[in-house]
């Protein structure tokens, strides 16, 4: 077994109660690495086409990678995957915190959960062993109580827990799988899959450190990261992810009123600096990370916000804030705690509320439908009220718990025009009229609209460290944010494959930023951890492989190039505000076409040879016949 | 201008007599590097479609690369290119020796020759200047006399000369451009292009050393190469390229009797060991090379062979030897001197003679046609006689000087079945029934059948240094020599792109062998020379870019996937001998299809997006409309 791995994948069958450790050849690890790579492999190989994502036939996979648990900044992440109940396609999300590292310490590289428990259970993994335990007393519990109860009953405060909140139990289609109270495998509704299996949590504890091929070389790189990231990532440290608010606001890229606008009055009351100056009590880090981009906020009045749940990320601030017409950071912080404690994706939750608000404003739904909740833009109390209703599937919340796409179909009356989703997944808080390459990235993403494995055009509009970091892969010239030429699409292809690689390693793209750590050091890190004589060429192929496996998964589920869409709204400019441009339909369609060409996907379908070049020829037989 | 370059490309217009130095942006060098990359660029941009390769409209390009002239083993090479008079498509060949380094020392990175001189001329390039000089007195002269006359009249014995012999003057379609008496840009008939321009030679002399970004780092790598290559390349040093004869003979891969067979009696009389033990007087090296794979042989009886012309390479030994049924090393050495002094490609020349011999044996041509030359297999005197007739286009030689494809059409009577060529270029001395991936490589090569930018399947049939050298790009498992699965085709894609990269750097693939120098050291060398923060990912894209430019060139000239052929002979096994297998037609066709898929070439045509990914979107407009 290669260094960097335990060489053991845990398979837990909740229907039979069987728990087993499986071993795979070294080559398996080198080809798929871990995280998303391993998830793509098992989803394709083991999940039958056409199954109901919320049935026992779905499999829920937790996967660390060779870098997970390595004592270096950025190495505290893991991936979670399943067929998505939100999109009906490939579901995958990544999380920080401490859980992934602890899974490695406990002796496993991944966990495959299959079947369904008769009654609520949780899995306890510790020092190479795993057991299924009763969780009936945990069902209905919010995050903090769930975590603390498990720690107490197992008598170890250092246990790390990945869990679902009530939202996952209630099969909210954008429920997530969280860990460590503020870290989330947020998107594609994986928490509902966990809930459908009656699995409340996976608790980990172990004492095995990650085996390193060249410990001194790893130490050297870790030291470099520790010394440099607090400087280069100073903005992230000081202000957290909400540091981006001012630039987005001034550029017209701050989603507002369900993406009707790109800026909002009082945006300076919801940014990272304002948070720091008002409610921030502490910065938090993931495992081994010197950056500390996570927040801890405390509010006493008018809401009581518990610092244990951290503080709102940018995505949350925009989703339940500006996109709902709300700029009250205290209400947003309250909403953040609720979303975290119920276990939901704050992006999809906020975007679904914003959708409902626009329906409400347009008379498509009324107080009668909402059970009296006055769902107007800017109504923060309504926002908080509906969050709870969604999580508990109470009242109108039961409709919204299905996500915007299904809710819009249920509501009818033209509600679909207000549903800002792609493939059923709600758009994240990045404006595709501002960042147009990201718009194409939204459309072609296998998980539906996603901002993580995507480019953010605005950082490549001029010479500077972000651009010059790409020189080693042949990208040299700045591109306008609304450029959708082949150069931009090439950037999208390369960079998104790079992120899919990071999701297989698994590590953090803030810390492992190209403009900081760079290709060479990342390659060296993987070499030093595993002892492999790998190149960045081979590594980037892992990313490309993941993208192709996810594409095949979706095609097998019936998706076609026609599903690589964009809501109509984005082809018209904001009626007011600083951003004057919209997506051009022809440029957008051409951008997708170029992307397919670059991928070797005629009509959006990977060719057999293309899959074979990536060593996954076996996946070709899974493509639907024409 | 980047380190490693002079930043000057010389343009010589022989029609107008104008000589000018041109400058290109740094980005141009980084994208195309040099050698073949630069040649592909200029051929596409400047050579109009449909021109006669032997007209003044053709352009003949000599290109060094960033590594040419760097004081390290393997760095003494340059490329030559033009539209090929042999294939009618992309023409390119590479040469060792000293000329490329001297071009760099003389202040230029490349020379573009256009138009046609009224009377024979040569170009003298020295220390940043260039002049066109009268060459009427050189016309008709063989190599040695040509070189020496130029050195004498310019008064400098260290002048390096690239030249054509009488064959090039006589527009023999497989005439080559030689330098240093034993080094040849051998294939695709570039000597005929030079002859058509009335250009006898380009002489270089300079005192400018290659500028290095990190001289110490370069020195370190050069030292490593100097210390290690004589050990790892010991077989090449001891026996030269003819070291491969025994293994090919025993495996049935030694082309014999125009590829009718794969082995020949007395093969041990034409191998590298026999040469060493009989006629070898000295080993020769290219610029800065510690390997010394080149031979110098001396024969007094029954032929007088001048050591100045070196000694026969494996390709020559098989082409005018075994493939013609001849195993007399003295006759082969004589033929080698003649071919070198007349300036022809020994592969195409020998293969054309073998073709004629099979026609003769089958009564398709007779002594009447050949003017009395008894062109039977094994007749060494006939072989020597016809070499001269071809070079001078005398008698039946005038027919054969057109190459096998044209000669077969002229001869008619079913002669075409004996013409072992692809796209008009004769097969090199590697048996595609033995090395089947190489067979697919022959078919898809832009220059017609070629063994250099190709794989040699037999070295990947087991674990060992050749295979493990490919681990860093994700290739791990041995493959049978007749395996044509996707794994083999992936190897073909990656490895041939690697060779096209070496042809752009320009450097030697014996010295820069992956199993020796390896990806990392090669990347480091380019970084240290240029100062670029490049990766192997970016570098391999240069190779892929070259392959795509060449493909576009051919498509523009009317080639289609239908021209990616293989002579019928290779689909049936040898009637006797050790090799029992033949190419399987379906596996072969499928191999090509997979290659197209992997390249992103639907129906063999690069997609616009694929070209755009390589930064050559401009080439898409050159593709014929469907």
């Amino acid at each position: 077994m290669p260094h960097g791995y335990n060489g053991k994948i845990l398979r837990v069958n909740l229907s039979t109660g069987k728990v087993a450790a499986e071993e795979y050849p070294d080559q398996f690890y080198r080809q798929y690495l871990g995280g998303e790579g391993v998830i793509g492999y098992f989803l394709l190989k083991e999940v039958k086409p056409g199954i109901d994502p919320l049935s026992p036939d779905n499999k829920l996979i937790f996967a660390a990678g060779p870098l997970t648990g390595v004592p270096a900044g950025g190495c505290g992440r893991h991936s979670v995957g399943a067929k998505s109940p939100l999109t009906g396609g490939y579901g995958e999300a990544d999380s920080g915190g401490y859980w992934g590292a602890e899974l490695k310490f406990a002796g496993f590289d991944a966990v495959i959960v299959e079947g369904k428990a008769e009654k609520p259970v949780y899995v306890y993994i510790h020092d190479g062993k795993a057991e299924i335990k009763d969780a009936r007393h945990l069902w209905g519990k919010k995050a903090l109580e769930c975590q603390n109860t498990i720690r107490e009953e197992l008598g170890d405060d250092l246990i790390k827990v990945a869990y679902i909140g009530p939202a996952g139990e209630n099969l909210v289609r954008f429920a997530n799988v969280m860990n460590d109270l503020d870290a989330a495998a947020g998107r594609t509704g994986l928490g509902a899959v966990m809930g459908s299996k009656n699995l409340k949590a996976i608790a980990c504890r172990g004492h095995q450190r990650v085996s390193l091929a060249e410990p001194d070389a790893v130490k050297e790189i870790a030291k470099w990261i520790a010394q440099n990231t607090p400087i280069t990532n100073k903005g992230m440290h000081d202000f957290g992810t909400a540091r981006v608010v001012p630039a987005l606001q001034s550029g017209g890229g701050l989603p507002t009123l369900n993406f009707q606008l790109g800026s909002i009055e009082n945006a300076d009351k919801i940014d990272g600096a304002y948070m720091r100056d008002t409610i921030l009590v502490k910065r938090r880090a993931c495992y081994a990370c010197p950056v500390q981009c996570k927040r801890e906020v405390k509010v006493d009045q008018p809401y009581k916000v518990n610092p244990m749940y951290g503080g709102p990320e940018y995505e949350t601030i925009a989703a339940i804030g500006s996109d709902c017409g709300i700029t009250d950071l205290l209400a947003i912080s309250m909403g953040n705690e609720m979303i975290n404690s119920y276990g939901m994706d704050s992006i999809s939750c906020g975007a679904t509320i914003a959708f409902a608000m626009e329906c409400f404003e347009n008379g498509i739904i009324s107080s009668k439908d909402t059970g009296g909740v006055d769902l107007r833009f800017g109504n923060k109390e309504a926002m908080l009220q509906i969050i709870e209703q969604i999580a508990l599937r109470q009242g109108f919340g039961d409709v919204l718990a299905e996500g915007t796409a299904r809710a819009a179909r249920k509501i009818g009356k033209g509600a679909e025009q207000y549903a800002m989703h792609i493939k059923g997944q709600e758009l994240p808080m990045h404006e595709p009229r501002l960042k147009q390459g990201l718009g194409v990235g939204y459309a072609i993403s296998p998980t539906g609209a996603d901002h993580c494995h995507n480019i953010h055009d605005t950082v490549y509009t001029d010479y500077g460290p972000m651009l010059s970091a790409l020189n080693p892969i042949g990208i040299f010239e700045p591109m306008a944010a609304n450029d959708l030429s082949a150069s931009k699409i090439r950037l999208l292809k390369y960079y998104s494959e790079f992120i899919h690689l990071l999701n297989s390693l698994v590590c953090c793209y803030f810390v492992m930023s190209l403009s900081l750590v760079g290709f060479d050091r990342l390659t060296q890190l993987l070499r030093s951890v595993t002892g492999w004589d790998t190149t960045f060429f081979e590594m980037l192929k892992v990313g490309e492989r993941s993208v192709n496996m996810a594409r095949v998964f979706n095609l097998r589920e019936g998706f076609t190039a026609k599903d690589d869409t964009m809501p109509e709204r984005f082809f018209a400019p904001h009626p007011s505000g600083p951003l004057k441009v919209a997506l051009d339909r022809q440029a957008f369609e051409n951008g997708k076409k170029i992307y397919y060409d670059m991928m070797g996907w005629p009509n959006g379908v990977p060719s057999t040879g293309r899959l074979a070049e990536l060593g996954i020829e076996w996946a070709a037989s899974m493509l639907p016949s024409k």
Side-chain angles (χ1 to χ4, degrees), chain A residues 359-529:
Chain A
C359 290
F360 193 92
E361 299 258 0
N362 284 282
I364 289 179
I365 53 174
S366 67
S367 296
K368 219 176 110 187
D369 300 298
T370 64
V373 183
D374 186 36
L375 269 180
R376 275 171 308 146
F377 282 122
N379 185 346
K380 58 194 180 188
E381 299 309 330
M383 178 268 286
L384 295 174
Q385 218 175 334
I386 203 75
I387 286 175
E388 182 161 279
Q389 291 188 4
I390 290 170
L392 301 176
R393 280 195 178 267
Q394 291 172 345
F396 191 62
D398 190 42
V399 174
L400 298 184
E402 293 289 291
T404 52
R406 286 179 175 79
R409 281 199 295 275
K410 183 150 194 188
I411 293 166
K413 304 179 203 168
E416 289 185 2
Q417 67 184 296
Y418 307 126
M420 299 300 123
H421 75 89
I422 296 172
K423 295 189 180 71
Q425 173 152 285
E426 291 73 16
L427 263 64
M429 297 300 121
H430 300 272
E431 169 58 78
R433 281 168 287 204
L434 173 62
K435 305 174 179 178
Q436 298 205 349
L438 168 132
V440 175
Y442 278 168
I444 52 89
S445 159
T447 54
D450 182 280
H451 66 294
C452 289
H453 49 244
N454 210 331
I455 52 170
H456 291 261
D457 306 58
T458 40
V459 301
Y460 305 106
T461 54
D462 212 341
Y463 295 101
M466 293 301 281
L467 187 64
S468 58
L470 297 172
N471 292 176
I473 53 168
I475 293 172
F476 300 93
E477 297 303 320
M479 291 160 258
N482 67 344
D483 175 4
L484 283 181
S485 72
S487 301
K488 179 64 72 66
I489 303 300
R490 175 170 61 147
L491 171 65
L492 172 64
K493 173 181 173 4
Y494 290 180
Y495 192 79
S496 61
E497 286 167 1
F498 171 69
I499 298 290
H500 286 282
L501 161 68
L502 296 188
N503 290 346
S504 302
L505 282 169
V506 188
C507 60
C508 172
Y509 67 87
F510 291 154
V511 177
M512 297 298 177
S513 158
L514 284 179
S515 60
L516 172 61
V517 169
F519 295 108
D520 269 9
R521 201 169 282 109
L522 184 65
T523 308
Q524 276 310 330
L525 182 57
L526 183 60
R527 287 181 177 194
S528 313
V529 167

Side-chain angles (χ1 to χ4, degrees), chain A residues 433 566-573 582-586 588-589:
Chain A
R433 281 168 287 204
M566 177 60 65
E568 277 304 304
R569 172 154 292 170
F570 299 99
F571 296 101
L583 277 172
D584 175 82
R585 196 177 306 271
Q586 199 181 331
F588 175 77
E589 291 299 328

Side-chain angles (χ1 to χ4, degrees), chain A residues 253-281:
Chain A
L254 182 68
T256 297
L257 307 182
N258 197 31
F259 280 99
Q260 292 181 85
L261 295 171
S263 57
I264 191 165
E265 227 176 305
N266 296 321
D268 59 344
K269 297 288 181 289
I270 55 172
D271 68 16
Y274 189 81
M275 193 191 308
R276 180 194 60 178
D277 298 340
T278 56
I279 57 175
L280 184 74
V281 291

Side-chain angles (χ1 to χ4, degrees), chain A residues 204-220:
Chain A
C204 293
R205 183 73 175 110
H207 297 82
Q208 174 77 44
R209 287 302 168 263
V210 178
S211 144
L212 304 174
E214 299 168 49
D216 289 345
V218 174
K219 209 170 180 177
E220 201 56 41

Side-chain angles (χ1 to χ4, degrees), chain A residues 7 83 97-98 126 165 194 201 225 252 320 334 357-358 409 415 497:
Chain A
K83 178 171 177 178
Y98 294 79
H126 51 105
M194 196 154 161
I225 292 174
I320 61 174
M334 185 68 242
M357 285 176 166
E358 192 172 1
R409 281 199 295 275
E497 286 167 1

Side-chain angles (χ1 to χ4, degrees), chain A residues 133-183:
Chain A
K133 299 180 79 81
D134 190 350
R136 281 175 292 182
H137 58 302
L138 298 172
W139 211 247
K141 295 277 185 293
K142 293 187 193 172
L144 184 58
E145 200 178 343
C146 169
Q147 173 188 283
N148 290 351
T149 306
I150 289 175
R151 284 180 175 177
E152 267 169 45
E153 72 189 34
L154 296 175
D156 190 341
D157 269 1
L158 295 177
I159 284 172
K160 304 292 186 278
V161 190
Y163 52 81
I164 53 170
E169 300 170 12
N170 294 326
L171 309 182
V172 172
R173 286 192 189 264
F174 45 79
N176 61 16
V177 180
M178 294 197 67
N179 53 281
D180 304 303
L181 303 183
D182 64 352

